[in-house]
Amino acid sequence: MLDHATRSRMYYGWIKLFCILVLYSTSAGAQEGYFWHITDYHYDTTYWSEMRSCNDEVPVRGIYGDYWCDSPWRLVLDSINAMADIERDVDFILWTGDNVAHIADQYTNETYVVHILSSITDALKTAFPGVKVYATMGNHDWYPSDQLPDTPHLLYNATAELWEDWIGDAEQMANFRKGAYYTVKTAQGLRIIGLNTNIYYTSDKLTAALTDPVGQFAWLEAVLKNAKVAGEKVLMTAHVPPGFHVPEKVQWFYNHYNTRFLDISRTYSDIIVGMFFGHNHADAFKLLQMSGGGPGVPMFMAPSLTPWRYKNDDVTSDPHNPAIRLIKYNQQNGVPLDIHQYYMNLTASNRNNASDWKLEYKATEAYGQSDLSAVSIDNIIQAFKTDKSLLDQYIRHHSVLANGETTVNACDEKCRAELNCGFIHMTEGSFDSCYTAIVGGSTRLCSSSLLIVMLATMCYTVY
Ligand SMILES: *[C@@H]1O[C@H](CO)[C@@H](O)[C@H](O)[C@H]1NC(C)=O
Ligand SMILES: [Zn+2]
Ligand SMILES: [Zn+2]
């Protein structure tokens, strides 16, 4: 038989182990938080009247929207209510702009833009009382569309007023009035940097010839430098993303801004834990590599709320479902842990007169990683090169499941090469080298002096 002392030692031993386990699991749990990322509402006030955003001659116009049109108010409000139903307890919300519909400038003005922004701001405040929304302006949140200036403007001022509760102090309000950028620290200690990247967008004719419009680059460098000294982790958010929108291969930024933006971000890739953008309307991600190569910063492009399809004489884009995105992250170091992507089946919702929000995917499950850190995103991107069905999955997500297998089947070898190159190649020269190395077709590439050693093996295989 065990004596009393041994028995009580064992007893306390078990209790101690139990307590350690409980403490460990609660402290691990306490580090996980959530935030929403919503974008590109493009609310069309004329949906039931003049249908000014609709790209097709005879849109059906269901009560929740139409694939050819921007969002009716019902869709905007329903999505915000769905967010509150799914997860009300979030640390903050990222809202990356483009709230005004795709309608011609002749039908809008400054007052109209402010009316749209203020309607959605109020709806978010009502559904999420007390939750900070870190909002950034889109190229459509302007009159005339896309022309955000380098100089003070009543729309910079009016938007600053609308978002004052979220932006906070006088210094950041002044930054916003100057050019719609600001920084705040979350209650959990993460530094948020909200930028106005619309001034780098090639559709902005007012900024083409400048070097640092609204002084944003100089300011960004100073903020990042201070953050590094202070040992902070940084989350960056803006509307227009750098690099290429693929497979269309569109570079949104002017060249000189694209390079500068990427250089600054790369310099601070050790403290920037993630970047969150809108504008593409499609679901996508990228990885900024560090100067010496290797995973630097993951970039996440959230799909839009609007189901609107792009269409002009040459191009008709895929249909996509309305989307809202919940992100799980580590509150301590800011690292993105997962994406819970939700979507509304627009066809079913209209048919049933009832909104149908569903989980589309969880990124960690869909792509087989334990989190969404730069290293994990790098693993996914590497796997895409050889795992066709994994890339198929990404392509399905790209159009938010609206197009069945059509989009997947339509994405041929060249389309897949563009996707694969676009993940990490964000400037023209490096993208083209990557693309040519995969699909071939250029003998000049093989004689290009700098790349010859690196690409010698690939050129051999191609030819
Ligand atoms: C959406 O709903 C339609 C109509 O009910 C259905 O045919 C389609 O498969 C659904 N799409 C998805 C992705 O569930
Ligand atoms: Zn948009
Ligand atoms: Zn946009």
Side-chain angles (χ1 to χ4, degrees):
M1 257 188 78
L2 300 172
D3 62 31
H4 176 74
T6 313
R7 275 214 313 271
S8 64
R9 263 205 312 277
M10 281 176 67
Y11 178 68
Y12 285 113
W14 281 112
I15 291 196
K16 215 164 96 189
L17 182 64
F18 177 76
C19 291
I20 288 169
L21 284 174
V22 167
L23 280 175
Y24 177 79
S25 63
T26 51
S27 70
Q31 290 179 358
E32 285 177 1
Y34 287 91
F35 62 90
W36 283 103
H37 179 187
I38 47 175
T39 197
D40 295 82
Y41 279 73
H42 292 286
Y43 161 37
D44 186 358
T45 53
T46 69
Y47 181 82
W48 290 113
S49 48
E50 297 89 351
M51 300 184 270
R52 292 206 165 109
S53 68
C54 300
N55 257 337
D56 192 54
E57 272 152 39
V58 274
V60 183
R61 287 191 299 170
I63 58 168
Y64 291 103
D66 186 286
Y67 290 111
W68 289 112
C69 306
D70 276 324
S71 310
W73 181 248
R74 186 191 284 257
L75 174 61
V76 172
L77 202 56
D78 198 81
S79 73
I80 294 172
N81 290 334
M83 287 160 65
D85 285 346
I86 295 166
E87 186 58 75
R88 194 186 290 269
D89 186 19
V90 289
D91 292 341
F92 54 88
I93 296 172
L94 300 181
W95 176 23
T96 47
D98 265 9
N99 301 293
V100 177
H102 299 85
I103 59 184
D105 290 329
Q106 69 187 104
Y107 300 118
T108 72
N109 56 35
E110 283 98 348
T111 313
Y112 183 80
V113 171
V114 174
H115 165 70
I116 300 288
L117 293 188
S118 119
S119 308
I120 303 175
T121 299
D122 288 348
L124 285 167
K125 283 186 174 176
T126 306
F128 288 90
V131 174
K132 290 274 198 295
V133 179
Y134 303 125
T136 44
M137 297 186 85
N139 53 300
H140 281 276
D141 302 326
W142 206 262
Y143 172 82
S145 185
D146 306 330
Q147 306 312 311
L148 285 83
D150 174 48
T151 46
H153 192 284
L154 72 88
L155 278 177
Y156 286 145
N157 290 333
T159 310
E161 300 307 319
L162 271 182
W163 296 345
E164 185 166 13
D165 291 349
W166 300 331
I167 295 169
D169 66 40
E171 185 188 343
Q172 301 312 323
M173 283 292 284
N175 288 330
F176 203 100
R177 287 195 191 97
K178 185 174 176 198
Y181 56 87
Y182 64 102
T183 179
V184 290
K185 218 166 154 176
T186 68
Q188 290 76 27
L190 184 60
R191 176 151 306 278
I192 307 275
I193 301 179
L195 296 173
N196 170 9
T197 50
N198 308 295
I199 49 177
Y200 308 139
Y201 182 24
T202 51
S203 294
D204 191 338
K205 303 305 168 204
L206 303 175
T207 54
L210 305 175
T211 52
D212 187 11
V214 301
Q216 185 171 239
F217 281 137
W219 174 83
L220 174 62
E221 283 187 301
V223 171
L224 287 168
K225 196 173 169 195
N226 290 339
K228 185 159 179 160
V229 172
E232 295 168 346
K233 295 293 181 188
V234 174
L235 184 160
M236 277 163 62
T237 179
H239 179 66
V240 186
F244 294 97
H245 177 43
V246 281
E248 296 83 356
K249 203 205 166 196
V250 185
Q251 182 184 300
W252 302 121
F253 285 20
Y254 288 106
N255 270 328
H256 63 298
Y257 295 139
N258 191 51
T259 316
R260 180 92 186 265
F261 185 92
L262 294 171
D263 282 349
I264 296 172
S265 306
R266 212 177 273 120
T267 304
Y268 291 94
S269 57
D270 54 337
I271 62 164
I272 305 170
V273 290
M275 299 192 191
F276 300 84
F277 300 98
H279 187 67
N280 287 356
H281 292 202
D283 182 335
F285 55 78
K286 291 183 188 302
L287 178 69
L288 180 68
Q289 292 193 297
M290 292 190 291
S291 318
V297 183
M299 300 182 177
F300 302 96
M301 274 60 72
S304 59
L305 179 74
T306 183
W308 179 90
R309 297 173 68 176
Y310 182 76
K311 186 184 180 189
N312 66 16
D313 293 343
D314 310 317
V315 185
T316 303
S317 78
D318 292 325
H320 49 91
N321 282 309
I324 52 176
R325 166 173 287 191
L326 184 66
I327 298 174
K328 183 159 110 180
Y329 79 112
N330 181 318
Q331 290 172 323
Q332 218 105 57
N333 61 19
V335 170
L337 299 175
D338 208 355
I339 287 172
H340 298 183
Q341 183 61 54
Y342 292 87
Y343 75 106
M344 172 195 267
N345 184 329
L346 188 57
T347 314
S349 301
N350 284 335
R351 190 172 295 171
N352 305 333
N353 274 331
S355 77
D356 175 28
W357 290 97
K358 283 203 180 73
L359 180 70
E360 182 193 358
Y361 67 89
K362 290 189 180 178
T364 51
E365 289 170 9
Y367 301 115
Q369 297 295 318
S370 57
D371 62 27
L372 301 180
S373 64
V375 170
S376 300
I377 295 294
D378 190 43
N379 291 338
I380 301 170
I381 291 168
Q382 298 305 328
F384 281 154
K385 291 182 191 163
T386 51
D387 188 341
K388 181 177 177 297
S389 65
L390 198 67
L391 190 59
D392 285 351
Q393 184 86 306
Y394 179 83
I395 297 167
R396 254 173 233 121
H397 296 163
H398 197 67
S399 55
V400 198
L401 303 185
N403 217 10
E405 288 306 283
T406 315
T407 322
V408 175
N409 297 331
C411 194
D412 60 8
E413 192 206 351
K414 288 182 174 177
C415 159
R416 284 162 196 268
E418 293 223 339
L419 290 177
N420 276 320
C421 293
F423 287 125
I424 55 170
H425 297 283
M426 301 189 201
T427 54
E428 189 83 37
S430 98
F431 184 97
D432 290 348
S433 307
C434 168
Y435 183 77
T436 314
I438 297 174
V439 305
S442 166
T443 42
R444 274 210 339 263
L445 177 74
C446 296
S447 58
S448 145
S449 59
L450 267 177
L451 290 167
I452 193 157
V453 181
M454 264 171 57
L455 294 175
T457 342
M458 291 182 191
C459 290
Y460 237 95
T461 341
V462 170
Y463 289 102

